Amino acid sequence: MPFTVPNPAGRPVAVVGAGTLGRRIALMFATGGGEVRIYDPSAEQLAAARGYVEEHLPAVAAEVDGGVPGSVAVGGDLAEALRGAWLVIEAVPERPELKERVFADLDRTADPDAILGSNSSSYPTSRFVDCVREPERLVNVHFYMPPTQNAVDVMSSGRTDRAVIDLLLAELPRHGLFPFEARKESTGFIFNRIWAAIKRESLAVVAEGVATAEEVDAMWSVNTGLRGGPFRAMDQVGLDVVLDIEEHYAAERPGLPTGPRELLEEYVGDGRLGVKAGRGFYDYGTGGGAAAA
């Protein structure tokens, strides 16, 4: 029997993973006036996610055309979070064995017509088709850093029903998001493929002692006219996540320089994970914003 795409009307969206991106994804879907549910086994992460959405939802919804603040529920019961959802977004750490287990659980627990999307920034869902019974509903839906970076990559698993992609391309703009279809399977999708090269070369410049992270970001701002820079952006994402992504690229592309990963390993090993840890390439403590030594 062919897969039938869901009707989103009146149905919730579920986000699996309450981390930095999970809570931001939930925030955007909550701007449509409907219900969003966040699942995570960590009570601490759930509390932080709830606080983040409650703080930012009114202002973000006001910026979305036709936006209306909806409701966001958080909880540690997966079945309850998925019940009735038309779309489920996996937003767990970039570890393939973890994602395989999550998709197997989602396949067993979600409604039969629910679309199963992965927010992975580096793993195509073709890698997970054997974890689900209906790969036609499996798709990459990769978010950047909403609500400030609202582009979304939508990419087929190779077996995704075309109607699933068309539905997402039509529905995501209703929530202040800008979807772009990756028309061929691509590690890193569209923008992240380009951004990965910028990050890697920036890390190499610091690893080789050519300049500091703060100097690279300052020069980036001068020459591009953009605020922040590669190192502030990496701190925002989380250096552990950046390292996971770089290790994946290196596994696919032998010959990439080791210096960038070695520098990330040093920071991660020292607990300097970025904004979420209070320090990364920059110190986000009481002095806030100074480059880390």
Side-chain angles (χ1 to χ4, degrees):
M1 182 180 295
F3 177 71
T4 302
V5 296
N7 180 355
R11 295 177 65 178
V13 170
V15 179
V16 177
T20 301
L21 277 172
R23 65 192 65 168
R24 289 167 177 266
I25 294 167
L27 169 68
M28 298 310 297
F29 279 108
T31 64
E35 180 184 5
V36 180
R37 302 175 190 151
I38 307 175
Y39 164 81
D40 199 289
S42 166
E44 182 179 358
Q45 286 282 68
L46 289 173
R50 184 200 298 275
Y52 176 83
V53 174
E54 288 177 350
E55 178 184 354
H56 295 284
L57 180 56
V60 174
E63 294 176 357
V64 173
D65 187 21
V68 177
S71 65
V72 176
V74 304
D77 185 320
L78 181 62
E80 184 177 335
L82 301 186
R83 188 174 298 116
W86 74 270
L87 173 65
V88 182
I89 300 292
E90 165 272 309
V92 304
E94 294 287 85
R95 295 194 290 273
E97 67 285 352
L98 172 60
K99 292 180 184 289
E100 288 169 1
R101 293 197 302 271
V102 167
F103 276 114
D105 288 342
L106 298 183
D107 184 59
R108 286 191 299 267
T109 312
D111 282 17
D113 67 341
I115 295 170
L116 304 182
S118 174
N119 180 56
S120 177
S121 60
S122 52
Y123 293 103
T125 45
S126 60
R127 181 161 183 163
F128 309 119
V129 293
D130 292 337
C131 302
V132 300
R133 290 164 294 184
E134 289 189 277
E136 293 81 7
R137 65 174 175 162
L138 185 62
V139 62
N140 280 98
V141 190
H142 169 245
F143 300 76
Y144 286 84
M145 194 58 69
T148 55
Q149 297 174 346
N150 289 333
V152 181
D153 294 299
V154 179
M155 187 175 80
S156 171
S157 69
R159 297 178 62 182
T160 307
D161 191 306
R162 180 69 222 182
V164 167
I165 293 173
D166 290 340
L167 176 59
L168 291 170
L169 293 175
E171 188 66 21
L172 291 174
R174 304 181 196 277
H175 302 276
L177 298 162
F178 299 87
F180 294 85
E181 181 181 356
R183 300 176 185 276
K184 292 183 67 174
E185 184 173 296
S186 169
T187 299
F189 313 112
I190 304 170
F191 182 81
N192 261 3
R193 235 180 111 169
I194 300 164
W195 182 240
I198 294 171
K199 289 187 298 183
R200 194 174 301 122
E201 199 61 27
S202 298
L203 288 162
V205 165
V206 172
E208 294 168 13
V210 177
T212 67
E214 190 174 36
E215 289 164 347
V216 170
D217 280 354
M219 194 170 190
W220 170 274
S221 295
V222 169
N223 282 350
T224 66
L226 301 174
R227 296 179 63 186
F231 289 94
R232 283 205 182 273
M234 285 187 274
D235 270 359
Q236 188 75 28
V237 171
L239 302 189
D240 52 340
V241 176
V242 176
L243 177 58
D244 283 345
I245 293 168
E246 277 305 299
E247 287 178 338
H248 176 58
Y249 277 116
E252 284 203 353
R253 302 174 189 172
L256 286 178
T258 61
R261 283 179 307 217
E262 290 168 353
L263 181 63
L264 287 168
E265 287 168 356
E266 176 186 336
Y267 275 72
V268 170
D270 196 33
R272 290 182 284 177
L273 306 182
V275 173
K276 62 186 175 184
R279 60 180 189 148
F281 287 109
Y282 290 84
D283 181 359
Y284 300 93
T286 54

